[in-house]
Amino acid sequence: MMREETIRSPGWTTVATALLLVLAAPAVALDLPRAPVDADYRPVDRAAAELGRLLFWDPILSGNRNISCGTCHHPKFGTSDGLSLGMGEGGVGLGPDRVVDPENLPEQRIPRNAPALFNLGAHEFTVMFHDGRIEEDPSRPSGLRTPLEDEMVAGFDTLLSAQTMFPVLSPDEMAGHYSENEISRAVRQGLITGEGGAWDLISRRVAAIPEYQALFEAAYPEIAEGRAIGFTDISNAIGAFVELEWRSDASPFDAYLRGEAGLAPEAEAGMALFYGEAGCAACHAGSFQTDHGFHAMGAPQLGPGKAERFESHSRDVGRMRVTNDPADAYAFRTPSLRNVARTGPWGHAGAHSNLAGFVRFHADPASGLSAYAPDATLPAFEPTKPDFAALQDPSETAAIVQAAMAATQGRALADDEVAALVAFLESLTDEAAIAGRLGIPESVPSGLPVDR
């Protein structure tokens, strides 16, 4: 008896009960999702994907020709960048080793954590970005609702295709500072679409490279017949690559759902909590562990926030920036949890660099925020706005807590429960998907360096 009392933590009873349940009852009792199947995904044109692979890794798309899509979405960091808040323009190096370029200082950190790219070719992904500012909308001529509104051009094959081409317009991500190059100058002047706009200028850069011209002609018959390479052609190819490269549905959990293998006992206990008492599946539902909805979960705010350059605040009100509905304040899109153990730091602002700490916080955000100690991974930099200004603003913290309390009652987790949930989340890791199917090319047609 003494030995049992010594080894039991406060959450032992709950975890032990969960383990007994999953051992004694069939999996259907937990209302588990089904494993993804081929029909869940769009078909991908291989030639377009192979072309998109080169474009994804080619810095030619950035204003200063120094940053590729892969700089901030690298398989080494689970298709993210290993940072709480990324540093695009003004940084050198990869992941946590990225540092400020003393010859080209950044203006600010990228305001939100770089999302992972897994399974974005699945039909159910109809909204993207942390605030959902790009989503499918059949009522619009372009089929999409985006910040460009009526200026949005037609021709994007998918929502993903359109999403991939917004980072090239961001001064902090890929475009560069306002006076540095022709792309950033066009963005500064509001010239995005049409002749002479930022997208057109990037298309001309690509078309001027003979190897790209030949590859586009091989992939797209209309271009072979004489049509000029358009910006949507570039984005469609990149979208096809992402869909092919990072489809992820061969994790240990998928094998479990397909009846091919079991889970380790602690992971199975975590699964019982996730789909049972802990209530995680209320939002992290379905085959990809997301309801694609927006929820205020009290995530700590750090960095510059989502503000215009002339605004001094560091707030990020999330979905409300899109809908202007106060009920959406501080709500952010539910991310898919595929490969989540490899995609940290976690949260819309990357406020947690420890997965167990994030799980504990996420389960009871109101209590967690009051006790939050900064756990960020940030390159050394002295931005105009202090990194933790929002956390030091009592009114802002109170507003975040209020929104979270309205959305969830929260439930404190014991140590054993946290460990079990983390073990389950680790069972969602698909090593082959993280590595990718085509991999990082040795070189790209522009001849520019590839971030390996």
Side-chain angles (χ1 to χ4, degrees), residues 81-101:
D81 63 359
L83 296 170
S84 297
L85 300 174
M87 182 177 291
E89 187 58 48
V92 292
L94 282 177
D97 293 329
R98 194 164 178 81
V99 297
V100 169
D101 180 357

PDB file of all heavy atoms in Angstrom, residues 81-101:
ATOM      1  N   ASP A  81       8.896  27.150 -38.583  1.00  0.00           N
ATOM      2  CA  ASP A  81      10.250  27.714 -38.539  1.00  0.00           C
ATOM      3  C   ASP A  81      10.934  27.575 -37.190  1.00  0.00           C
ATOM      4  O   ASP A  81      12.036  28.098 -36.992  1.00  0.00           O
ATOM      5  CB  ASP A  81      10.228  29.182 -38.966  1.00  0.00           C
ATOM      6  CG  ASP A  81       9.404  30.075 -38.049  1.00  0.00           C
ATOM      7  OD1 ASP A  81       8.824  29.548 -37.069  1.00  0.00           O
ATOM      8  OD2 ASP A  81       9.312  31.282 -38.317  1.00  0.00           O
ATOM      9  N   GLY A  82      10.296  26.891 -36.239  1.00  0.00           N
ATOM     10  CA  GLY A  82      10.929  26.677 -34.943  1.00  0.00           C
ATOM     11  C   GLY A  82      11.002  27.915 -34.072  1.00  0.00           C
ATOM     12  O   GLY A  82      11.636  27.898 -33.019  1.00  0.00           O
ATOM     13  N   LEU A  83      10.332  28.987 -34.491  1.00  0.00           N
ATOM     14  CA  LEU A  83      10.346  30.247 -33.747  1.00  0.00           C
ATOM     15  C   LEU A  83       8.945  30.590 -33.260  1.00  0.00           C
ATOM     16  O   LEU A  83       7.950  30.206 -33.880  1.00  0.00           O
ATOM     17  CB  LEU A  83      10.853  31.388 -34.631  1.00  0.00           C
ATOM     18  CG  LEU A  83      12.303  31.290 -35.108  1.00  0.00           C
ATOM     19  CD1 LEU A  83      12.583  32.345 -36.169  1.00  0.00           C
ATOM     20  CD2 LEU A  83      13.258  31.460 -33.932  1.00  0.00           C
ATOM     21  N   SER A  84       8.878  31.339 -32.175  1.00  0.00           N
ATOM     22  CA  SER A  84       7.578  31.827 -31.720  1.00  0.00           C
ATOM     23  C   SER A  84       6.984  32.757 -32.759  1.00  0.00           C
ATOM     24  O   SER A  84       5.852  32.585 -33.222  1.00  0.00           O
ATOM     25  CB  SER A  84       7.723  32.543 -30.376  1.00  0.00           C
ATOM     26  OG  SER A  84       8.171  31.649 -29.386  1.00  0.00           O
ATOM     27  N   LEU A  85       7.747  33.754 -33.120  1.00  0.00           N
ATOM     28  CA  LEU A  85       7.378  34.696 -34.174  1.00  0.00           C
ATOM     29  C   LEU A  85       8.535  34.763 -35.148  1.00  0.00           C
ATOM     30  O   LEU A  85       9.674  34.995 -34.757  1.00  0.00           O
ATOM     31  CB  LEU A  85       7.080  36.081 -33.597  1.00  0.00           C
ATOM     32  CG  LEU A  85       5.929  36.145 -32.590  1.00  0.00           C
ATOM     33  CD1 LEU A  85       5.827  37.539 -31.970  1.00  0.00           C
ATOM     34  CD2 LEU A  85       4.598  35.770 -33.253  1.00  0.00           C
ATOM     35  N   GLY A  86       8.254  34.552 -36.404  1.00  0.00           N
ATOM     36  CA  GLY A  86       9.303  34.458 -37.394  1.00  0.00           C
ATOM     37  C   GLY A  86       9.982  35.780 -37.690  1.00  0.00           C
ATOM     38  O   GLY A  86       9.512  36.856 -37.327  1.00  0.00           O
ATOM     39  N   MET A  87      11.092  35.665 -38.373  1.00  0.00           N
ATOM     40  CA  MET A  87      11.817  36.832 -38.853  1.00  0.00           C
ATOM     41  C   MET A  87      12.138  36.564 -40.321  1.00  0.00           C
ATOM     42  O   MET A  87      12.997  35.753 -40.645  1.00  0.00           O
ATOM     43  CB  MET A  87      13.095  37.062 -38.045  1.00  0.00           C
ATOM     44  CG  MET A  87      13.865  38.305 -38.472  1.00  0.00           C
ATOM     45  SD  MET A  87      15.313  38.571 -37.416  1.00  0.00           S
ATOM     46  CE  MET A  87      14.515  39.015 -35.870  1.00  0.00           C
ATOM     47  N   GLY A  88      11.398  37.189 -41.182  1.00  0.00           N
ATOM     48  CA  GLY A  88      11.614  37.026 -42.605  1.00  0.00           C
ATOM     49  C   GLY A  88      12.678  37.995 -43.089  1.00  0.00           C
ATOM     50  O   GLY A  88      13.881  37.765 -42.947  1.00  0.00           O
ATOM     51  N   GLU A  89      12.233  39.105 -43.661  1.00  0.00           N
ATOM     52  CA  GLU A  89      13.163  40.128 -44.127  1.00  0.00           C
ATOM     53  C   GLU A  89      13.962  40.677 -42.951  1.00  0.00           C
ATOM     54  O   GLU A  89      13.411  41.010 -41.905  1.00  0.00           O
ATOM     55  CB  GLU A  89      12.408  41.260 -44.825  1.00  0.00           C
ATOM     56  CG  GLU A  89      13.303  42.269 -45.487  1.00  0.00           C
ATOM     57  CD  GLU A  89      14.225  41.624 -46.520  1.00  0.00           C
ATOM     58  OE1 GLU A  89      13.749  40.847 -47.353  1.00  0.00           O
ATOM     59  OE2 GLU A  89      15.441  41.901 -46.457  1.00  0.00           O
ATOM     60  N   GLY A  90      15.278  40.741 -43.121  1.00  0.00           N
ATOM     61  CA  GLY A  90      16.139  41.248 -42.061  1.00  0.00           C
ATOM     62  C   GLY A  90      16.779  40.171 -41.221  1.00  0.00           C
ATOM     63  O   GLY A  90      17.506  40.477 -40.274  1.00  0.00           O
ATOM     64  N   GLY A  91      16.512  38.902 -41.574  1.00  0.00           N
ATOM     65  CA  GLY A  91      17.105  37.811 -40.821  1.00  0.00           C
ATOM     66  C   GLY A  91      17.964  36.923 -41.701  1.00  0.00           C
ATOM     67  O   GLY A  91      17.785  36.878 -42.926  1.00  0.00           O
ATOM     68  N   VAL A  92      18.888  36.197 -41.086  1.00  0.00           N
ATOM     69  CA  VAL A  92      19.712  35.214 -41.799  1.00  0.00           C
ATOM     70  C   VAL A  92      19.791  33.963 -40.948  1.00  0.00           C
ATOM     71  O   VAL A  92      19.789  34.021 -39.720  1.00  0.00           O
ATOM     72  CB  VAL A  92      21.136  35.744 -42.090  1.00  0.00           C
ATOM     73  CG1 VAL A  92      21.099  36.876 -43.101  1.00  0.00           C
ATOM     74  CG2 VAL A  92      21.816  36.199 -40.812  1.00  0.00           C
ATOM     75  N   GLY A  93      19.876  32.810 -41.602  1.00  0.00           N
ATOM     76  CA  GLY A  93      19.911  31.546 -40.889  1.00  0.00           C
ATOM     77  C   GLY A  93      18.535  30.909 -40.847  1.00  0.00           C
ATOM     78  O   GLY A  93      17.546  31.467 -41.341  1.00  0.00           O
ATOM     79  N   LEU A  94      18.457  29.721 -40.238  1.00  0.00           N
ATOM     80  CA  LEU A  94      17.216  28.962 -40.179  1.00  0.00           C
ATOM     81  C   LEU A  94      16.803  28.674 -38.745  1.00  0.00           C
ATOM     82  O   LEU A  94      17.638  28.434 -37.878  1.00  0.00           O
ATOM     83  CB  LEU A  94      17.377  27.626 -40.912  1.00  0.00           C
ATOM     84  CG  LEU A  94      17.316  27.640 -42.441  1.00  0.00           C
ATOM     85  CD1 LEU A  94      17.577  26.238 -42.975  1.00  0.00           C
ATOM     86  CD2 LEU A  94      15.982  28.151 -42.929  1.00  0.00           C
ATOM     87  N   GLY A  95      15.490  28.675 -38.524  1.00  0.00           N
ATOM     88  CA  GLY A  95      14.931  28.257 -37.249  1.00  0.00           C
ATOM     89  C   GLY A  95      15.450  29.052 -36.068  1.00  0.00           C
ATOM     90  O   GLY A  95      15.727  30.257 -36.178  1.00  0.00           O
ATOM     91  N   PRO A  96      15.626  28.393 -34.920  1.00  0.00           N
ATOM     92  CA  PRO A  96      16.123  29.082 -33.724  1.00  0.00           C
ATOM     93  C   PRO A  96      17.507  29.695 -33.911  1.00  0.00           C
ATOM     94  O   PRO A  96      17.920  30.537 -33.114  1.00  0.00           O
ATOM     95  CB  PRO A  96      16.150  27.969 -32.669  1.00  0.00           C
ATOM     96  CG  PRO A  96      15.105  27.006 -33.123  1.00  0.00           C
ATOM     97  CD  PRO A  96      15.192  27.013 -34.620  1.00  0.00           C
ATOM     98  N   ASP A  97      18.222  29.267 -34.961  1.00  0.00           N
ATOM     99  CA  ASP A  97      19.537  29.844 -35.243  1.00  0.00           C
ATOM    100  C   ASP A  97      19.454  31.098 -36.106  1.00  0.00           C
ATOM    101  O   ASP A  97      20.482  31.706 -36.417  1.00  0.00           O
ATOM    102  CB  ASP A  97      20.421  28.814 -35.960  1.00  0.00           C
ATOM    103  CG  ASP A  97      20.765  27.631 -35.070  1.00  0.00           C
ATOM    104  OD1 ASP A  97      20.856  27.822 -33.845  1.00  0.00           O
ATOM    105  OD2 ASP A  97      20.922  26.513 -35.604  1.00  0.00           O
ATOM    106  N   ARG A  98      18.252  31.483 -36.509  1.00  0.00           N
ATOM    107  CA  ARG A  98      18.108  32.681 -37.334  1.00  0.00           C
ATOM    108  C   ARG A  98      18.428  33.918 -36.496  1.00  0.00           C
ATOM    109  O   ARG A  98      17.983  34.046 -35.351  1.00  0.00           O
ATOM    110  CB  ARG A  98      16.695  32.785 -37.901  1.00  0.00           C
ATOM    111  CG  ARG A  98      16.543  33.814 -39.025  1.00  0.00           C
ATOM    112  CD  ARG A  98      15.256  33.585 -39.785  1.00  0.00           C
ATOM    113  NE  ARG A  98      15.010  34.551 -40.841  1.00  0.00           N
ATOM    114  CZ  ARG A  98      15.544  34.516 -42.061  1.00  0.00           C
ATOM    115  NH1 ARG A  98      16.400  33.551 -42.376  1.00  0.00           N
ATOM    116  NH2 ARG A  98      15.249  35.433 -42.968  1.00  0.00           N
ATOM    117  N   VAL A  99      19.200  34.821 -37.068  1.00  0.00           N
ATOM    118  CA  VAL A  99      19.633  36.025 -36.351  1.00  0.00           C
ATOM    119  C   VAL A  99      19.384  37.245 -37.224  1.00  0.00           C
ATOM    120  O   VAL A  99      19.155  37.142 -38.430  1.00  0.00           O
ATOM    121  CB  VAL A  99      21.129  35.952 -35.965  1.00  0.00           C
ATOM    122  CG1 VAL A  99      21.376  34.802 -35.000  1.00  0.00           C
ATOM    123  CG2 VAL A  99      21.997  35.796 -37.218  1.00  0.00           C
ATOM    124  N   VAL A 100      19.448  38.384 -36.599  1.00  0.00           N
ATOM    125  CA  VAL A 100      19.279  39.651 -37.308  1.00  0.00           C
ATOM    126  C   VAL A 100      20.470  39.895 -38.230  1.00  0.00           C
ATOM    127  O   VAL A 100      21.624  39.671 -37.848  1.00  0.00           O
ATOM    128  CB  VAL A 100      19.137  40.801 -36.290  1.00  0.00           C
ATOM    129  CG1 VAL A 100      19.235  42.154 -36.988  1.00  0.00           C
ATOM    130  CG2 VAL A 100      17.814  40.687 -35.544  1.00  0.00           C
ATOM    131  N   ASP A 101      20.170  40.339 -39.427  1.00  0.00           N
ATOM    132  CA  ASP A 101      21.207  40.731 -40.371  1.00  0.00           C
ATOM    133  C   ASP A 101      21.623  42.170 -40.057  1.00  0.00           C
ATOM    134  O   ASP A 101      20.832  43.093 -40.248  1.00  0.00           O
ATOM    135  CB  ASP A 101      20.676  40.639 -41.799  1.00  0.00           C
ATOM    136  CG  ASP A 101      21.708  41.027 -42.853  1.00  0.00           C
ATOM    137  OD1 ASP A 101      22.825  41.434 -42.475  1.00  0.00           O
ATOM    138  OD2 ASP A 101      21.382  40.937 -44.055  1.00  0.00           O
TER     139      ASP A 101
END
